[in-house]
Amino acid sequence: MDDPRAALDTERDRNERLLADVERSMRDVSDARQDANSDDEHDPEGATLAWERGSLGAVRDAARQRIEQVDAALARLEAGTYGTCTVGGEPIPAARLAAVPWAATCVAHA
């Protein structure tokens, strides 16, 4: 990979935007819920709103986790250990880093 920092910064920015969008959507769902019947079981839209909240929560959690992974990769880059498997210490193949720039492990340890 020619510029891992650029790839990591791009991924971090993408996930920060995704996180902001999801949090905005969660507020919208929450606002919609305030005007609805509070009984999810009997309200025809309750199940849909609950599913939306759950789905958005999963996307939010994944974006937060990806940001943490990218930040850890940036820290490894600063420490000079980027591209080295955190489990076995062997080099992470360039193809893996090209596909997953935040990878902390080689394929065998993934």
Side-chain angles (χ1 to χ4, degrees):
M1 172 180 304
D2 292 336
D3 189 359
R5 180 174 303 283
L8 292 167
D9 287 342
T10 298
E11 183 67 15
R12 191 175 204 297
D13 290 345
R14 186 183 74 77
N15 278 278
E16 285 179 340
R17 285 191 309 275
L18 175 61
L19 186 57
D21 290 345
V22 167
E23 288 176 344
R24 191 171 23 262
S25 293
M26 289 181 83
R27 283 191 301 275
D28 292 346
V29 168
S30 181
D31 291 347
R33 185 72 194 123
Q34 288 178 355
D35 297 332
N37 182 346
S38 63
D39 183 2
D40 280 357
E41 183 178 341
H42 298 99
D43 177 6
E45 291 196 24
T48 301
L49 292 172
W51 182 86
E52 282 186 52
R53 280 193 312 263
S55 295
L56 289 168
V59 173
R60 178 200 59 210
D61 294 347
R64 286 179 177 164
Q65 182 180 23
R66 179 58 44 80
I67 290 168
E68 289 174 8
Q69 291 169 333
V70 169
D71 286 347
L74 287 166
R76 289 191 302 277
L77 192 61
E78 289 297 317
T81 59
Y82 179 81
T84 302
C85 179
T86 58
V87 175
E90 59 274 352
I92 299 172
R96 176 159 168 75
L97 290 173
V100 185
W102 54 90
T105 58
C106 65
V107 175
H109 289 117

